[in-house]
PDB file of all heavy atoms in Angstrom:
ATOM      1  N   GLU A  46       7.604  -7.115  15.190  1.00 97.00           N
ATOM      2  CA  GLU A  46       7.972  -8.340  15.915  1.00 97.00           C
ATOM      3  C   GLU A  46       8.661  -9.322  14.981  1.00 97.00           C
ATOM      4  O   GLU A  46       9.692  -9.903  15.333  1.00 97.00           O
ATOM      5  CB  GLU A  46       6.735  -9.004  16.520  1.00 97.00           C
ATOM      6  CG  GLU A  46       6.147  -8.293  17.696  1.00 97.00           C
ATOM      7  CD  GLU A  46       4.883  -8.971  18.201  1.00 97.00           C
ATOM      8  OE1 GLU A  46       4.352  -9.886  17.538  1.00 97.00           O
ATOM      9  OE2 GLU A  46       4.415  -8.574  19.273  1.00 97.00           O
ATOM     10  N   TYR A  47       8.084  -9.522  13.816  1.00 97.00           N
ATOM     11  CA  TYR A  47       8.684 -10.450  12.857  1.00 97.00           C
ATOM     12  C   TYR A  47      10.062  -9.977  12.407  1.00 97.00           C
ATOM     13  O   TYR A  47      10.981 -10.778  12.237  1.00 97.00           O
ATOM     14  CB  TYR A  47       7.769 -10.657  11.651  1.00 97.00           C
ATOM     15  CG  TYR A  47       6.541 -11.452  11.995  1.00 97.00           C
ATOM     16  CD1 TYR A  47       5.277 -10.896  11.907  1.00 97.00           C
ATOM     17  CD2 TYR A  47       6.646 -12.776  12.426  1.00 97.00           C
ATOM     18  CE1 TYR A  47       4.150 -11.623  12.226  1.00 97.00           C
ATOM     19  CE2 TYR A  47       5.523 -13.513  12.759  1.00 97.00           C
ATOM     20  CZ  TYR A  47       4.275 -12.936  12.653  1.00 97.00           C
ATOM     21  OH  TYR A  47       3.166 -13.661  12.982  1.00 97.00           O
ATOM     22  N   TRP A  49      12.163  -8.157  14.188  1.00 97.00           N
ATOM     23  CA  TRP A  49      13.075  -8.350  15.304  1.00 97.00           C
ATOM     24  C   TRP A  49      13.479  -9.821  15.407  1.00 97.00           C
ATOM     25  O   TRP A  49      14.657 -10.137  15.596  1.00 97.00           O
ATOM     26  CB  TRP A  49      12.442  -7.896  16.620  1.00 97.00           C
ATOM     27  CG  TRP A  49      13.483  -7.685  17.678  1.00 97.00           C
ATOM     28  CD1 TRP A  49      14.048  -6.507  18.022  1.00 97.00           C
ATOM     29  CD2 TRP A  49      14.104  -8.689  18.491  1.00 97.00           C
ATOM     30  NE1 TRP A  49      14.981  -6.700  19.006  1.00 97.00           N
ATOM     31  CE2 TRP A  49      15.035  -8.034  19.308  1.00 97.00           C
ATOM     32  CE3 TRP A  49      13.975 -10.062  18.599  1.00 97.00           C
ATOM     33  CZ2 TRP A  49      15.822  -8.704  20.231  1.00 97.00           C
ATOM     34  CZ3 TRP A  49      14.762 -10.739  19.522  1.00 97.00           C
ATOM     35  CH2 TRP A  49      15.677 -10.058  20.328  1.00 97.00           C
ATOM     36  N   ILE A  50      12.517 -10.709  15.294  1.00 97.00           N
ATOM     37  CA  ILE A  50      12.798 -12.147  15.378  1.00 97.00           C
ATOM     38  C   ILE A  50      13.763 -12.570  14.276  1.00 97.00           C
ATOM     39  O   ILE A  50      14.711 -13.316  14.515  1.00 97.00           O
ATOM     40  CB  ILE A  50      11.488 -12.960  15.308  1.00 97.00           C
ATOM     41  CG1 ILE A  50      10.664 -12.732  16.580  1.00 97.00           C
ATOM     42  CG2 ILE A  50      11.765 -14.442  15.096  1.00 97.00           C
ATOM     43  CD1 ILE A  50       9.217 -13.194  16.475  1.00 97.00           C
ATOM     44  N   GLU A  51      13.546 -12.053  13.088  1.00 97.00           N
ATOM     45  CA  GLU A  51      14.423 -12.408  11.960  1.00 97.00           C
ATOM     46  C   GLU A  51      15.826 -11.849  12.130  1.00 97.00           C
ATOM     47  O   GLU A  51      16.815 -12.542  11.884  1.00 97.00           O
ATOM     48  CB  GLU A  51      13.812 -11.895  10.654  1.00 97.00           C
ATOM     49  CG  GLU A  51      14.608 -12.233   9.434  1.00 97.00           C
ATOM     50  CD  GLU A  51      13.971 -11.693   8.160  1.00 97.00           C
ATOM     51  OE1 GLU A  51      12.748 -11.527   8.136  1.00 97.00           O
ATOM     52  OE2 GLU A  51      14.720 -11.417   7.215  1.00 97.00           O
ATOM     53  N   TYR A  53      17.344 -10.372  15.046  1.00 96.00           N
ATOM     54  CA  TYR A  53      18.067 -10.499  16.306  1.00 96.00           C
ATOM     55  C   TYR A  53      17.699 -11.739  17.121  1.00 96.00           C
ATOM     56  O   TYR A  53      18.397 -12.073  18.063  1.00 96.00           O
ATOM     57  CB  TYR A  53      17.829  -9.257  17.179  1.00 96.00           C
ATOM     58  CG  TYR A  53      18.146  -7.983  16.457  1.00 96.00           C
ATOM     59  CD1 TYR A  53      17.131  -7.113  16.069  1.00 96.00           C
ATOM     60  CD2 TYR A  53      19.456  -7.654  16.131  1.00 96.00           C
ATOM     61  CE1 TYR A  53      17.411  -5.941  15.392  1.00 96.00           C
ATOM     62  CE2 TYR A  53      19.746  -6.490  15.449  1.00 96.00           C
ATOM     63  CZ  TYR A  53      18.720  -5.637  15.074  1.00 96.00           C
ATOM     64  OH  TYR A  53      18.999  -4.496  14.399  1.00 96.00           O
ATOM     65  N   GLY A  54      16.605 -12.395  16.787  1.00 96.00           N
ATOM     66  CA  GLY A  54      16.135 -13.514  17.592  1.00 96.00           C
ATOM     67  C   GLY A  54      16.461 -14.875  17.037  1.00 96.00           C
ATOM     68  O   GLY A  54      15.935 -15.878  17.513  1.00 96.00           O
ATOM     69  N   HIS A  55      17.313 -14.919  16.008  1.00 96.00           N
ATOM     70  CA  HIS A  55      17.730 -16.185  15.406  1.00 96.00           C
ATOM     71  C   HIS A  55      16.536 -17.014  14.934  1.00 96.00           C
ATOM     72  O   HIS A  55      16.548 -18.236  15.011  1.00 96.00           O
ATOM     73  CB  HIS A  55      18.602 -17.002  16.366  1.00 96.00           C
ATOM     74  CG  HIS A  55      19.760 -16.227  16.905  1.00 96.00           C
ATOM     75  ND1 HIS A  55      20.829 -15.842  16.118  1.00 96.00           N
ATOM     76  CD2 HIS A  55      20.011 -15.732  18.140  1.00 96.00           C
ATOM     77  CE1 HIS A  55      21.695 -15.160  16.841  1.00 96.00           C
ATOM     78  NE2 HIS A  55      21.217 -15.067  18.061  1.00 96.00           N
ATOM     79  N   GLY A  56      15.482 -16.318  14.505  1.00 94.00           N
ATOM     80  CA  GLY A  56      14.309 -16.995  13.959  1.00 94.00           C
ATOM     81  C   GLY A  56      13.364 -17.585  14.986  1.00 94.00           C
ATOM     82  O   GLY A  56      12.397 -18.243  14.619  1.00 94.00           O
ATOM     83  N   LEU A  57      13.607 -17.343  16.258  1.00 96.00           N
ATOM     84  CA  LEU A  57      12.770 -17.919  17.317  1.00 96.00           C
ATOM     85  C   LEU A  57      12.052 -16.826  18.112  1.00 96.00           C
ATOM     86  O   LEU A  57      12.687 -15.924  18.660  1.00 96.00           O
ATOM     87  CB  LEU A  57      13.619 -18.762  18.276  1.00 96.00           C
ATOM     88  CG  LEU A  57      14.338 -19.955  17.668  1.00 96.00           C
ATOM     89  CD1 LEU A  57      15.262 -20.595  18.688  1.00 96.00           C
ATOM     90  CD2 LEU A  57      13.335 -20.956  17.142  1.00 96.00           C
ATOM     91  N   ARG A  58      10.742 -16.937  18.171  1.00 95.00           N
ATOM     92  CA  ARG A  58       9.945 -15.972  18.926  1.00 95.00           C
ATOM     93  C   ARG A  58      10.328 -15.983  20.408  1.00 95.00           C
ATOM     94  O   ARG A  58      10.290 -14.956  21.088  1.00 95.00           O
ATOM     95  CB  ARG A  58       8.465 -16.279  18.768  1.00 95.00           C
ATOM     96  CG  ARG A  58       7.563 -15.293  19.470  1.00 95.00           C
ATOM     97  CD  ARG A  58       6.104 -15.583  19.222  1.00 95.00           C
ATOM     98  NE  ARG A  58       5.729 -15.440  17.837  1.00 95.00           N
ATOM     99  CZ  ARG A  58       5.388 -14.288  17.257  1.00 95.00           C
ATOM    100  NH1 ARG A  58       5.415 -13.182  17.956  1.00 95.00           N
ATOM    101  NH2 ARG A  58       5.041 -14.249  15.994  1.00 95.00           N
ATOM    102  N   ALA A  59      10.712 -17.120  20.922  1.00 96.00           N
ATOM    103  CA  ALA A  59      11.075 -17.234  22.340  1.00 96.00           C
ATOM    104  C   ALA A  59      12.288 -16.380  22.689  1.00 96.00           C
ATOM    105  O   ALA A  59      12.473 -16.014  23.854  1.00 96.00           O
ATOM    106  CB  ALA A  59      11.350 -18.695  22.690  1.00 96.00           C
ATOM    107  N   ASN A  60      13.100 -16.029  21.703  1.00 96.00           N
ATOM    108  CA  ASN A  60      14.282 -15.201  21.959  1.00 96.00           C
ATOM    109  C   ASN A  60      13.964 -13.706  22.031  1.00 96.00           C
ATOM    110  O   ASN A  60      14.836 -12.922  22.392  1.00 96.00           O
ATOM    111  CB  ASN A  60      15.331 -15.428  20.865  1.00 96.00           C
ATOM    112  CG  ASN A  60      15.921 -16.817  20.931  1.00 96.00           C
ATOM    113  OD1 ASN A  60      15.887 -17.465  21.961  1.00 96.00           O
ATOM    114  ND2 ASN A  60      16.463 -17.275  19.815  1.00 96.00           N
ATOM    115  N   MET A  61      12.742 -13.327  21.693  1.00 96.00           N
ATOM    116  CA  MET A  61      12.402 -11.907  21.662  1.00 96.00           C
ATOM    117  C   MET A  61      12.014 -11.425  23.055  1.00 96.00           C
ATOM    118  O   MET A  61      11.146 -12.007  23.706  1.00 96.00           O
ATOM    119  CB  MET A  61      11.239 -11.647  20.697  1.00 96.00           C
ATOM    120  CG  MET A  61      10.896 -10.175  20.569  1.00 96.00           C
ATOM    121  SD  MET A  61       9.566  -9.858  19.393  1.00 96.00           S
ATOM    122  CE  MET A  61       8.193 -10.579  20.249  1.00 96.00           C
ATOM    123  N   PRO A  62      12.631 -10.335  23.524  1.00 96.00           N
ATOM    124  CA  PRO A  62      12.210  -9.756  24.804  1.00 96.00           C
ATOM    125  C   PRO A  62      10.892  -9.003  24.621  1.00 96.00           C
ATOM    126  O   PRO A  62      10.460  -8.728  23.494  1.00 96.00           O
ATOM    127  CB  PRO A  62      13.356  -8.795  25.143  1.00 96.00           C
ATOM    128  CG  PRO A  62      13.932  -8.424  23.832  1.00 96.00           C
ATOM    129  CD  PRO A  62      13.760  -9.620  22.933  1.00 96.00           C
ATOM    130  N   TRP A  63      10.277  -8.625  25.704  1.00 96.00           N
ATOM    131  CA  TRP A  63       8.990  -7.931  25.620  1.00 96.00           C
ATOM    132  C   TRP A  63       9.105  -6.621  24.845  1.00 96.00           C
ATOM    133  O   TRP A  63       8.163  -6.182  24.205  1.00 96.00           O
ATOM    134  CB  TRP A  63       8.413  -7.674  27.019  1.00 96.00           C
ATOM    135  CG  TRP A  63       9.188  -6.657  27.819  1.00 96.00           C
ATOM    136  CD1 TRP A  63      10.190  -6.907  28.691  1.00 96.00           C
ATOM    137  CD2 TRP A  63       9.033  -5.239  27.773  1.00 96.00           C
ATOM    138  NE1 TRP A  63      10.683  -5.732  29.201  1.00 96.00           N
ATOM    139  CE2 TRP A  63       9.982  -4.685  28.661  1.00 96.00           C
ATOM    140  CE3 TRP A  63       8.194  -4.371  27.087  1.00 96.00           C
ATOM    141  CZ2 TRP A  63      10.099  -3.326  28.871  1.00 96.00           C
ATOM    142  CZ3 TRP A  63       8.322  -3.016  27.294  1.00 96.00           C
ATOM    143  CH2 TRP A  63       9.259  -2.505  28.181  1.00 96.00           C
ATOM    144  N   TRP A  64      10.268  -5.986  24.887  1.00 96.00           N
ATOM    145  CA  TRP A  64      10.456  -4.695  24.236  1.00 96.00           C
ATOM    146  C   TRP A  64      10.912  -4.830  22.780  1.00 96.00           C
ATOM    147  O   TRP A  64      11.110  -3.821  22.101  1.00 96.00           O
ATOM    148  CB  TRP A  64      11.453  -3.843  25.019  1.00 96.00           C
ATOM    149  CG  TRP A  64      12.722  -4.572  25.351  1.00 96.00           C
ATOM    150  CD1 TRP A  64      13.005  -5.223  26.518  1.00 96.00           C
ATOM    151  CD2 TRP A  64      13.863  -4.762  24.508  1.00 96.00           C
ATOM    152  NE1 TRP A  64      14.254  -5.795  26.457  1.00 96.00           N
ATOM    153  CE2 TRP A  64      14.800  -5.526  25.224  1.00 96.00           C
ATOM    154  CE3 TRP A  64      14.188  -4.372  23.220  1.00 96.00           C
ATOM    155  CZ2 TRP A  64      16.030  -5.905  24.701  1.00 96.00           C
ATOM    156  CZ3 TRP A  64      15.415  -4.738  22.692  1.00 96.00           C
ATOM    157  CH2 TRP A  64      16.316  -5.495  23.430  1.00 96.00           C
ATOM    158  N   GLY A  65      11.028  -6.027  22.281  1.00 96.00           N
ATOM    159  CA  GLY A  65      11.511  -6.261  20.919  1.00 96.00           C
ATOM    160  C   GLY A  65      10.778  -5.483  19.838  1.00 96.00           C
ATOM    161  O   GLY A  65      11.404  -4.862  18.979  1.00 96.00           O
TER     162      GLY A  65
END
Side-chain angles (χ1 to χ4, degrees):
E46 288 177 350
Y47 289 116
W49 198 97
I50 291 165
E51 181 181 333
Y53 306 110
H55 307 291
L57 299 173
R58 182 177 296 275
N60 292 338
M61 183 178 68
W63 69 267
W64 50 264

